[in-house]
Amino acid sequence: LAKTTQPISMDSYEGQEVNITCSHNNIATNDYITWYQQFPSQGPRFIIQGYKTKVTNEVASLFIPADRKSSTLSLPRVSLSDTAVYYCLVGYSSASKIIFGSGTRLSIRP
Amino acid sequence: DAGVIQSPRHEVTEMGQEVTLRCKPISGHDYLFWYRQTMMRGLELLIYFNNNVPIDDSGMPEDRFSAKMPNASFSTLKIQPSEPRDSAVYFCASSLRGQGYNEQFFGPGTRLTVL
């Protein structure tokens, strides 16, 4: 049974690097892993996507180990405005299923 | 592009009434998704369409819920009859051909309250 699991909450401080990990079993070779950010009263917003090794864009990095059973979103030098809920999403192509994790509530302190 | 458009933004209704939520995806996007979000259950996929055809509706709670996509630029999610436990924020999202169903663009959501 496909499942996407992530920690419920995390706390950090401004200027620190934050790593949020997502576990996803039964992931297939071509299944993509995507991360979203959500602020209160808004829809989720795309952050980054990948399916192997490492992907980096202007706001985050995504690390995916060889077995692909987990992935880590890395936010460098967070600020107060990064306080939000972060969701991991996997599209399980073999089952035509799309499963969001339960979300990680990230709180950044001054 | 204006992004994904949802209407209404807020809906308050009484138990037993029919509710219709509307969505206009981004032009050119082949996939359309309906989600429900609550504090207790988080973000749940209800149904998604590819080229106007429903692909997976296993997330639709029960027969009271139905979704249609009569053309590439419009979709509806209907609840009939509505119940208080249907109170939630309903999001519509769309994604581009060739990128599957992962890089989704979400609308602002419809906050539904059933009294």
Side-chain angles (χ1 to χ4, degrees):
Chain A
L1 178 66
K3 193 172 182 181
T4 308
T5 307
Q6 51 185 123
I8 294 173
S9 63
M10 294 182 69
D11 295 327
S12 188
Y13 293 91
E14 280 192 296
Q16 298 296 304
E17 178 184 81
V18 171
N19 296 310
I20 306 174
T21 297
C22 176
S23 299
H24 24 76
N25 61 348
N26 296 327
I27 190 168
T29 303
N30 295 323
D31 291 343
Y32 276 77
I33 300 150
T34 312
W35 285 82
Y36 290 83
Q37 177 190 55
Q38 187 179 27
F39 296 111
S41 302
Q42 295 184 22
R45 184 177 66 175
F46 172 87
I47 301 174
I48 197 167
Q49 180 183 74
Y51 74 101
K52 66 177 181 180
T53 59
K54 177 183 175 183
V55 179
T56 298
N57 62 22
E58 63 275 10
V59 298
S61 294
L62 177 60
F63 299 92
I64 304 167
D67 66 7
R68 303 182 72 246
K69 291 186 178 181
S70 67
S71 60
T72 299
L73 173 71
S74 181
L75 304 173
R77 297 180 300 280
V78 294
S79 64
L80 295 176
S81 63
D82 293 317
T83 295
V85 180
Y86 292 82
Y87 290 94
C88 169
L89 167 68
V90 179
Y92 295 93
S93 55
S94 61
S96 295
K97 292 292 184 185
I98 300 167
I99 300 179
F100 266 97
S102 55
T104 298
R105 186 172 298 276
L106 176 63
S107 297
I108 305 301
R109 305 170 192 271
Chain B
D1 200 315
V4 175
I5 299 172
Q6 291 187 246
S7 64
R9 292 294 308 277
H10 301 273
E11 177 81 27
V12 180
T13 190
E14 293 187 344
M15 182 174 63
Q17 297 298 305
E18 177 179 292
V19 175
T20 299
L21 311 181
R22 297 173 176 79
C23 175
K24 177 179 170 54
I26 293 173
S27 177
H29 283 194
D30 285 352
Y31 288 85
L32 183 139
F33 310 81
W34 282 102
Y35 291 91
R36 177 173 68 176
Q37 186 171 41
T38 62
M39 288 294 292
M40 290 296 295
R41 300 175 66 90
L43 199 58
E44 302 174 279
L45 176 65
L46 300 177
I47 185 171
Y48 77 92
F49 296 83
N50 180 19
N51 291 322
N52 314 335
V53 176
I55 302 301
D56 180 14
D57 65 354
S58 61
M60 295 287 264
E62 48 200 271
D63 293 344
R64 297 185 298 107
F65 285 69
S66 62
K68 295 182 179 180
M69 192 165 186
N71 57 62
S73 59
F74 183 67
S75 177
T76 60
L77 178 67
K78 185 175 294 185
I79 308 172
Q80 166 63 20
S82 58
E83 297 182 2
R85 60 191 167 123
D86 302 329
S87 296
V89 179
Y90 291 82
F91 288 104
C92 176
S94 68
S95 69
L96 187 61
R97 178 189 306 123
Q99 294 185 10
Y101 30 64
N102 290 320
E103 188 173 355
Q104 300 174 29
F105 296 81
F106 282 75
T110 295
R111 182 173 296 276
L112 173 65
T113 302
V114 183
L115 303 174

